[in-house]
Amino acid sequence: MNLKKWILLWISIHLLHLIILGSFFPIFSHRPPFIKKEVPVDWSSPKFDPSIDPIWIAQMSDLHLSYFHPHVIQRVNETYKYIKKFVKPLYTLLTGDLTDNIEGVTVWAPTYPHEEHFMLLKDIFGNDYDDSLIQILGNHDTWGRINFTDQYFQYLTQDSRVKMKRNFYVQSYIKNNVRIIAFQPIHFPSGHTTYDFVIPLYSEELDELEKELDNIDSTKPFDFTIFSTHFTIGMMYPIENVKTTKTGRNLRELLSDPKYKIIAMIDGHTHPVSCESLHYGKTIELTSTALLETDGFAIFSVDNNRINYNIY
């Protein structure tokens, strides 16, 4: 085919494309206006009572303790000492990736369990009973394993250790009418590095979560529940299709059930440059920055039924 025929073919194809596109112009130019219905806002709220003491919960996330990050060891140690001395919260949540378990400083380095990294965890937080400290494991703490054994459980605090050995997926803590539900959706054998960045959900994990949410003890009343995990909701997959065997509900449906009184979901994992929030119906997901990369810890507070979340 000579040059002239090529040019004519090119023009005819693009002319046909313009004709087809032009036939849709009346549709796009006369679209009906989008009218957003007015949504009533309830501005009423109970009068603030200054005599009610607020509830303080501290959060330290994505510590990545490792001898390859000596500055992080110092940062975590000083942060925890400050929280204990000056903040004195009802709970301190350690929301995953407490240890690094990488042979180097990049995710492309070999990954496997490093016991010496867990020794650093014990050096800073101890392994005795402490009902104000809640440890939650993340992908860095658990990858490359057939299971999580006593060899590593010994470096966790007593309360976290005992509860995880009883039920690895879900642990419940109740104190001062506040219930914390810690969720560890980690299925063994576990993957490595980037394979565990988006964590797969299993029905057995949601079954245990539903069972613990339903486990309401009349002798241990609570006013509200805080759901805490390492992974953000968007980093658990498939969020819509994996459901409980008892009631057929997925994770979002469980967390939005008003009978569980979940007022917030607190997590980490994605290392945002500042704290992030995402609304889910009547609850909210709050994601902390990473101590691996920046100074600061999060404070979640409830005061007169008003919640606040900030990095300090």
Side-chain angles (χ1 to χ4, degrees):
M1 187 180 291
N2 58 35
L3 180 62
K4 183 178 179 180
K5 288 184 178 180
W6 268 113
I7 294 174
L8 290 174
L9 179 63
W10 185 86
I11 292 174
S12 62
I13 290 174
H14 283 275
L15 183 61
L16 179 63
H17 174 74
L18 290 173
I19 292 172
I20 294 172
L21 187 65
S23 66
F24 287 95
F25 179 76
I27 298 174
F28 293 117
S29 61
H30 295 90
R31 288 190 340 189
F34 176 74
I35 300 174
K36 186 175 181 181
K37 293 182 179 180
E38 183 177 346
V39 178
V41 177
D42 183 6
W43 293 101
S44 64
S45 60
K47 186 177 180 181
F48 190 86
D49 185 355
S51 66
I52 299 176
D53 291 330
I55 294 168
W56 301 89
I57 294 173
Q59 179 193 12
M60 300 171 65
S61 194
D62 296 85
L63 287 54
H64 293 267
L65 290 172
S66 164
Y67 287 109
F68 294 103
H69 307 298
H71 64 291
V72 176
I73 299 173
Q74 180 181 357
R75 177 186 290 158
V76 171
N77 193 23
E78 291 176 353
T79 300
Y80 186 54
K81 286 181 178 178
Y82 183 91
I83 290 172
K84 289 191 70 174
K85 183 176 180 179
F86 296 106
V87 181
K88 300 176 182 178
L90 179 66
Y91 289 111
T92 297
L93 304 179
L94 306 185
T95 52
D97 284 358
L98 314 183
T99 55
D100 202 41
N101 296 296
I102 295 181
E103 189 65 36
V105 294
T106 74
V107 293
W108 309 114
T111 61
Y112 55 88
H114 286 60
E115 189 168 2
E116 63 271 22
H117 294 182
F118 282 85
M119 290 177 181
L120 290 172
L121 184 70
K122 177 189 171 185
D123 289 343
I124 296 174
F125 300 99
N127 66 345
D128 297 326
Y129 178 77
D130 185 350
D131 69 349
S132 66
L133 184 66
I134 297 176
Q135 295 172 318
I136 302 170
L137 303 180
N139 51 308
H140 277 252
D141 306 307
T142 53
W143 56 26
R145 296 176 182 270
I146 301 298
N147 51 40
F148 203 86
T149 63
D150 286 340
Q151 180 182 357
Y152 294 91
F153 271 129
Q154 65 174 314
Y155 300 111
L156 304 179
T157 56
Q158 182 183 341
D159 204 19
S160 294
R161 179 171 68 245
V162 169
K163 289 180 183 293
M164 284 186 203
K165 291 175 78 171
R166 185 185 306 135
N167 186 336
F168 188 82
Y169 293 141
V170 188
Q171 303 84 46
S172 181
Y173 305 81
I174 298 179
K175 185 170 62 170
N176 290 21
N177 294 339
V178 177
R179 180 171 73 159
I180 306 290
I181 294 290
F183 185 46
Q184 297 181 157
I186 297 160
H187 195 274
F188 296 107
S190 56
H192 288 266
T193 56
T194 51
Y195 290 107
D196 261 2
F197 189 63
V198 177
I199 202 77
L201 277 177
Y202 293 84
S203 289
E204 63 190 79
E205 297 165 348
L206 295 189
D207 285 344
E208 293 298 328
L209 176 60
E210 184 177 50
K211 186 189 304 181
E212 196 59 49
L213 287 169
D214 283 329
N215 184 20
I216 299 174
D217 187 347
S218 59
T219 64
K220 296 180 179 180
F222 58 90
D223 297 326
F224 55 82
T225 300
I226 295 170
F227 174 81
S228 190
T229 184
H230 172 62
F231 306 94
T232 61
I233 303 302
M235 286 295 175
M236 291 184 262
Y237 180 84
I239 196 76
E240 303 293 343
N241 298 332
V242 178
K243 300 181 179 182
T244 62
T245 55
K246 182 181 178 181
T247 61
R249 293 183 291 176
N250 61 36
L251 181 61
R252 282 201 179 101
E253 290 168 334
L254 281 174
L255 299 179
S256 61
D257 190 329
K259 74 177 180 180
Y260 299 138
K261 303 179 182 179
I262 298 175
I263 61 168
M265 302 175 284
I266 298 178
D267 51 43
H269 187 52
T270 54
H271 299 202
V273 295
S274 61
C275 59
E276 295 181 343
S277 60
L278 186 63
H279 284 275
Y280 284 95
K282 292 185 178 180
T283 187
I284 187 171
E285 180 181 14
L286 304 166
T287 304
S288 171
T289 55
L291 276 163
L292 170 66
E293 299 174 354
T294 182
D295 292 325
F297 58 93
I299 290 292
F300 175 86
S301 64
V302 182
D303 193 358
N304 278 257
N305 292 321
R306 298 162 170 86
I307 67 173
N308 187 58
Y309 184 77
N310 252 314
I311 303 293
Y312 295 93

